[in-house]
Amino acid sequence: MPDGRDIVDVVAGEPGPKSDITMFRENRDNFDPKQSFKGDLGYIGEDLIDTPIKKPRNKELTTDQKKSNKEFSSKRIFVEHRIRSVKIFRVVQDRFRLNPKKYEQVIWTICGLVRLRIRALILPLKISAMSLG
């Protein structure tokens, strides 16, 4: 979510090196054409994705451009913090050595742990004796 209070969507990814922008371009038909996104400088050139202003070569950004980038990053920082929370578990970064069919299940479990840590996961107040087995 925009303020970083919850994880609302997870894509387990694909094996091998593939950039985020390539994955977005392959899946952009799944999104509403009017929906806009916020991205980092890696997404420059996409019409659906708002990006910060890139510093021109051998030049500096103006004060207004710096202010605009600051406002932009202040809205994206919450998302970056959630991504970092998932990456702490190193499953996303390192080579996955288990059965590849289990990868998505592991990612969902990690996201559940992150949600539990940020108190976004709603747990039942009372656990029945049957579920304790």
Side-chain angles (χ1 to χ4, degrees), residues 46-107:
E46 276 300 317
D47 52 341
L48 295 178
I49 302 177
D50 297 329
T51 58
I53 301 165
K54 187 175 180 179
K55 182 176 111 36
R57 190 174 189 167
N58 298 326
K59 296 182 181 176
E60 293 297 321
L61 292 175
T62 65
T63 307
D64 290 339
Q65 290 172 328
K66 287 181 183 180
K67 184 179 178 185
S68 173
N69 280 354
K70 186 101 170 160
E71 289 173 13
F72 183 85
S73 65
S74 69
K75 294 175 186 171
R76 261 189 56 80
I77 192 68
F78 303 110
V79 175
E80 295 296 333
H81 285 185
R82 282 307 128 240
I83 292 170
R84 180 191 152 276
S85 298
V86 172
K87 284 186 173 183
I88 286 173
F89 289 89
R90 301 188 59 118
V91 172
V92 178
Q93 295 170 301
D94 293 346
R95 182 174 177 185
F96 189 71
R97 298 184 182 275
L98 299 176
N99 182 346
K101 295 176 183 174
K102 298 284 186 184
Y103 184 73
E104 188 171 357
Q105 183 180 3
V106 170
I107 291 297

